[in-house]
Amino acid sequence: MDHLKLSKHQTFYSVGLSYKKADAEVRGKFSLDDQAKTRVLLQAKAEGIDSIVVISTCNRTEIYGFAEHPFQLIKLLCDNSLGTVEEFQQVAYVYKNQEAINFLFRVGTGLDSQILGDFEIISQIRNGFVESKKLGLVNSFMERLVNAVIQASKRVKNETELCSGATSVAFASVHYIFNTVSDLATKNILLFGTGKIGRNTCENLVKHTKNENITLINRTKNKAEKIAGKFNLIVKDYVDLEVELQKADVLVVATGAQNPTIDKTILNLKKPLLILDLSIPKNVDENVKQLEGVTLVHMDHLSQLTDETIEKRKEQIPFAEAIIDEIREEFIAWMKARKFAPTIHALKEKLNTIKNNELSFQRKKISNFDEEQAEIISNRIIQKITTHFANHLKDDSTTVNESIEWIERVFQIETTPYNE
């Protein structure tokens, strides 16, 4: 793909890592909370990067932006996370220009999600875009691209059945609990933290069981009380955590902490305990497995639980890809037009100069010269010529850079590309 003349940096990149090659521990090292994402943006601005979007979820951390070299973006990630460049290189991917555009469309439409058709990622992309725009780190290319991806996501969701059926990490969590814990209605369930997947798991448990013994604990109690009000849960103070852990039969951990909040030292258990760790980074230390009666299940394992719903979703992939192709082609057409528009404008100006000089010459030479008619005819000819050149530049088989260079050389014109 030709260079994108929409930034002072000529190359658009996507750099990142996901569940495909990076396990939960590694993803945790590169995970960025809201403060870390802001630091990335501020550092990017200080280093002269003019357009960038950052997303970080439990399944992926990615940076999309313009740079002279992808290492500029990789460095931003490593400088503001616990991961190293060496660790990143072992599990990472780097996409450039057209590949980066294609990749963002697949991510935003749920085709690259750990559970096929999981559309929660599009809200992360939208939020990342909004934060970048607040800091003036979005150029016209990025704005148009993100809006195109959001449009594709909406159409895939509305026009296909890619997201139909109840399947998500939250659903898989509940499914696992149902299959593992007997007499679930009589068991004590403790939700520690208010992470989104944990909340969804809790909501599903409330919907599908008659259990009235679900307790919620969060470091910030008012957050817990807001969620508890929706689901009719019991709320306990953070200081009561160890006491509630002794009562629990099932523990769902969904905190946003960067280090483990549950380990064997605070588990003084008198009965078996099933622990579901739905946090990235992991929030339950592996040492709990040393305790008799403790079963620890992490989100990565739950994400691997597939059923017939996933198989049905796979049948929808071609329909989703057709929608993506349509919207992506519209974006590419806009991008190419954006690129050659200055050249077409300069060509039109050049032809108008030639026309004006010729009309001036004929006006002096021909006594009954009809200037109004000559103006109409010549303007129509100029419009037809510039349209032919524009259609040539729009053609998929055209090498735009070479054609622009040829037009500028033949007509002796200079153009200034858009730099936004």
Side-chain angles (χ1 to χ4, degrees), residues 199-253:
R199 296 199 306 272
N200 291 345
T201 299
C202 192
E203 181 178 4
N204 281 319
L205 284 170
V206 171
K207 283 181 180 178
H208 299 296
T209 73
K210 296 180 180 179
N211 194 308
E212 297 181 355
N213 301 310
I214 301 178
T215 302
L216 175 58
I217 294 179
N218 191 60
R219 288 179 186 272
T220 309
K221 191 175 182 181
N222 63 351
K223 282 187 181 180
E225 288 172 339
K226 286 180 182 177
I227 295 167
K230 292 179 183 178
F231 305 136
N232 195 28
L233 309 179
I234 303 164
V235 176
K236 295 287 186 176
D237 291 314
Y238 178 65
V239 293
D240 296 323
L241 178 61
E242 290 194 35
V243 173
E244 294 302 319
L245 285 171
Q246 292 181 46
K247 300 178 184 176
D249 300 290
V250 178
L251 168 64
V252 178
V253 182

Side-chain angles (χ1 to χ4, degrees), residues 45 81 94 96 139 143-144 205 234 326-328 390 403 405 416:
K45 193 165 188 175
S81 70
V94 175
K96 177 180 177 181
N139 62 12
E143 181 150 15
R144 185 84 176 208
L205 284 170
I234 303 164
E326 179 185 337
I327 295 175
R328 185 181 59 232
S403 294
E405 185 180 342
T416 303

Side-chain angles (χ1 to χ4, degrees), residues 52-314:
I52 183 174
V53 169
V54 182
I55 61 172
S56 185
T57 73
C58 56
N59 288 329
R60 64 181 67 245
T61 297
E62 294 165 350
I63 296 178
Y64 298 86
F66 282 89
E68 294 175 2
H69 191 279
F71 183 73
Q72 291 174 277
L73 304 180
I74 295 168
K75 183 176 181 295
L76 288 174
L77 175 56
C78 295
D79 284 352
N80 294 283
S81 70
L82 301 176
T84 65
V85 173
E86 291 74 23
E87 288 172 316
F88 181 84
Q89 289 173 332
Q90 291 175 9
V91 297
Y93 39 81
V94 175
Y95 297 110
K96 177 180 177 181
N97 286 337
Q98 186 65 65
E99 286 187 344
I101 293 170
N102 295 344
F103 182 64
L104 182 55
F105 271 100
R106 293 188 69 82
V107 171
T109 53
L111 291 180
D112 199 70
S113 296
Q114 189 166 26
I115 292 183
L116 180 65
D118 184 350
F119 278 86
E120 290 190 8
I121 185 63
I122 195 64
S123 63
Q124 299 287 342
I125 294 171
R126 187 186 291 108
N127 293 342
F129 169 78
V130 169
E131 293 305 311
S132 293
K133 193 166 185 178
K134 285 179 185 176
L135 293 172
L137 286 167
V138 171
N139 62 12
S140 58
F141 170 93
M142 188 73 82
E143 181 150 15
R144 185 84 176 208
L145 175 59
V146 171
N147 284 334
V149 171
I150 291 171
Q151 181 190 0
S153 176
K154 286 179 180 177
R155 284 192 55 190
V156 168
K157 192 170 186 178
N158 293 333
E159 298 175 25
T160 76
E161 296 182 7
L162 190 69
C163 62
S164 65
T167 180
S168 64
V169 173
F171 179 78
S173 302
V174 173
H175 190 70
Y176 185 90
I177 293 170
F178 267 90
N179 289 340
T180 306
V181 181
S182 57
D183 299 322
L184 186 58
T186 65
K187 303 297 184 182
N188 293 320
I189 301 171
L190 174 62
L191 173 62
F192 176 39
T194 56
K196 189 167 186 178
I197 295 175
R199 296 199 306 272
N200 291 345
T201 299
C202 192
E203 181 178 4
N204 281 319
L205 284 170
V206 171
K207 283 181 180 178
H208 299 296
T209 73
K210 296 180 180 179
N211 194 308
E212 297 181 355
N213 301 310
I214 301 178
T215 302
L216 175 58
I217 294 179
N218 191 60
R219 288 179 186 272
T220 309
K221 191 175 182 181
N222 63 351
K223 282 187 181 180
E225 288 172 339
K226 286 180 182 177
I227 295 167
K230 292 179 183 178
F231 305 136
N232 195 28
L233 309 179
I234 303 164
V235 176
K236 295 287 186 176
D237 291 314
Y238 178 65
V239 293
D240 296 323
L241 178 61
E242 290 194 35
V243 173
E244 294 302 319
L245 285 171
Q246 292 181 46
K247 300 178 184 176
D249 300 290
V250 178
L251 168 64
V252 178
V253 182
T255 76
Q258 295 299 303
N259 297 302
T261 52
I262 302 290
D263 63 21
K264 69 176 185 179
T265 60
I266 65 170
L267 294 180
N268 183 22
L269 303 179
K270 297 178 175 62
K271 58 180 177 178
L273 176 63
L274 169 63
I275 305 176
L276 274 62
D277 186 357
L278 307 183
S279 310
I280 291 289
K282 289 181 179 181
N283 271 204
V284 180
D285 196 301
E286 293 287 322
N287 65 19
V288 300
K289 293 180 180 178
Q290 299 170 12
L291 300 176
E292 186 178 352
V294 171
T295 302
L296 173 62
V297 180
H298 192 261
M299 185 173 62
D300 277 3
H301 173 73
L302 295 168
S303 298
Q304 293 168 8
L305 299 177
T306 59
D307 57 15
E308 61 183 21
T309 302
I310 293 295
E311 295 306 313
K312 288 181 180 177
R313 288 186 177 191
K314 287 179 181 178

